[in-house]
């Protein structure tokens, strides 16, 4: 019984401390839910939430994107078909790493990709290969279509350029890591892909890879939609 009272007392003291702590000027912004996202913030459990807040705020999103090395131009909002549109989108034409091909995507997706490069891709490539990632290969962001190209059903996140299908990475040592070939590999390539997949889950709302189903055997689907999944 005594122990229960002690636990209650600790709880009563802890709640105000944790409610007040984020207001302290030295409290890290990365751990403050209402502080805007900064590229240098190490991904944590708040990151995906902070990026999702950029969805409805194109100005803030572009300000965050301007902190990255991505070269981009805003794309005017426009509808392209039933349930298909570009909204708060940017055309990415350059970056420290080469995106092959260049692409147009929602601004939050571009922010997540910049975060992925800095916090996940480069550290993992350095650790596994002692090299840098020089290019990211993908098979597209935008497609006015339903999930799995079905005739009926929900629109894919690709219909609003809010998703990317990543297929391979090129390295500064001439290496190329390909999801179709290297997923499940027991060496450095396999470890690199696992790290990238798991790291992407902190930055994107949905990440689907080869372990999810046969349709994703060749790529990582990463999107900034409303559903959370890491498979
Ligand atoms: Zn996809």
């Amino acid at each position: 019984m005594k122990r229960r009272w002690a636990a209650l007392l600790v709880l009563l003291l802890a709640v105000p401390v944790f409610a007040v702590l984020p207001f302290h000027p030295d409290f890290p912004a990365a751990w403050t839910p209402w502080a805007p996202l900064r590229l240098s913030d190490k991904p944590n459990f708040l990151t995906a939430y902070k990026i999702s807040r950029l969805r409805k705020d194109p100005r803030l999103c572009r300000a965050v994107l301007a902190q990255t090395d991505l070269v981009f131009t805003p794309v005017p909002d426009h509808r392209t078909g039933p349930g298909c549109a570009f909204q708060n989108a940017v055309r990415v034409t350059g970056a420290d790493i080469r995106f092959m091909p260049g692409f147009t995507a929602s601004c939050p997706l571009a922010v997540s990709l910049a975060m992925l490069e800095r916090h996940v891709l480069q550290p993992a490539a350095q650790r596994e290969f002692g090299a840098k990632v020089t290019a990211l290969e993908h098979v597209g962001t935008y497609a006015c279509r339903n999930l799995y190209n079905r005739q009926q059903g929900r629109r894919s996140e690709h219909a609003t350029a809010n998703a990317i299908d990543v297929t391979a990475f090129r390295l500064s040592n001439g290496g190329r890591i390909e999801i179709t070939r290297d997923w499940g590999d027991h060496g450095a390539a396999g470890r690199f892909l696992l790290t990238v997949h798991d790291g992407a889950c902190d930055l994107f709302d949905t990440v689907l890879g080869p372990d999810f189903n046969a349709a994703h055997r060749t790529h990582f689907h990463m999107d900034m939609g409303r559903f959370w999944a890491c498979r």
Side-chain angles (χ1 to χ4, degrees):
M1 199 58 192
K2 251 187 198 160
R3 199 182 285 173
R4 200 176 292 173
W5 282 110
L8 188 68
L9 189 69
V10 168
L11 195 72
L12 282 173
L13 288 171
V15 167
V17 167
F18 283 106
V20 166
L21 213 53
F23 290 100
H24 191 277
D26 292 335
F27 193 79
W31 293 94
T32 310
W34 53 86
L37 181 79
R38 291 175 315 185
L39 184 74
S40 56
D41 292 344
K42 248 188 148 39
N44 61 29
F45 72 99
L46 288 172
T47 309
Y49 160 72
K50 287 190 179 196
I51 298 173
S52 73
R53 275 197 342 204
L54 305 176
R55 201 175 294 156
K56 292 251 156 65
D57 195 338
R59 263 186 47 185
L60 182 63
C61 191
R62 286 167 200 168
V64 172
L65 202 57
Q67 296 171 31
T68 74
D69 59 275
L70 263 57
V71 183
F72 68 95
T73 45
V75 172
D77 288 358
H78 62 287
R79 227 173 80 102
T80 47
C84 299
F86 289 96
Q87 232 176 0
N88 186 12
V90 291
R91 172 88 197 144
V92 175
T93 52
D96 273 0
I97 63 168
R98 245 173 89 200
F99 288 99
M100 300 170 70
F103 62 91
T104 298
S106 72
C107 178
L109 188 90
V111 168
S112 293
L113 282 169
M115 294 281 287
L116 184 79
E117 193 232 328
R118 175 168 179 155
H119 295 287
V120 181
L121 291 183
Q122 299 302 3
Q126 198 57 49
R127 197 168 54 243
E128 297 298 345
F129 312 108
K132 281 189 69 174
V133 173
T134 54
L136 179 154
E137 297 177 29
H138 68 97
V139 288
T141 51
Y142 170 77
C144 186
R145 62 169 176 82
N146 291 340
L147 280 176
Y148 299 106
N149 289 307
R150 288 178 188 132
Q151 288 291 317
Q152 307 287 327
R154 198 156 63 77
R155 280 298 197 206
S156 159
E157 288 298 323
H158 288 287
T160 46
N162 203 25
I164 187 166
D165 292 334
V166 176
T167 51
F169 303 92
R170 294 189 186 191
L171 304 172
S172 57
N173 63 9
R176 184 168 172 276
I177 311 300
E178 191 186 302
I179 291 169
T180 307
R181 187 191 57 210
D182 297 316
W183 181 259
D185 163 77
H186 293 297
R191 282 197 304 271
F192 172 79
L193 287 179
L194 264 183
T195 306
V196 171
H197 176 278
D198 293 354
C201 291
D202 291 333
L203 295 165
F204 295 83
D205 289 329
T206 292
V207 177
L208 304 174
D211 284 354
F212 177 55
N213 63 16
H216 294 83
R217 191 177 52 82
T218 57
H219 64 276
F220 293 159
H221 166 98
M222 306 170 175
D223 78 49
M224 291 306 288
R226 282 151 296 180
F227 301 100
W228 190 85
C230 174
R231 304 282 296 272

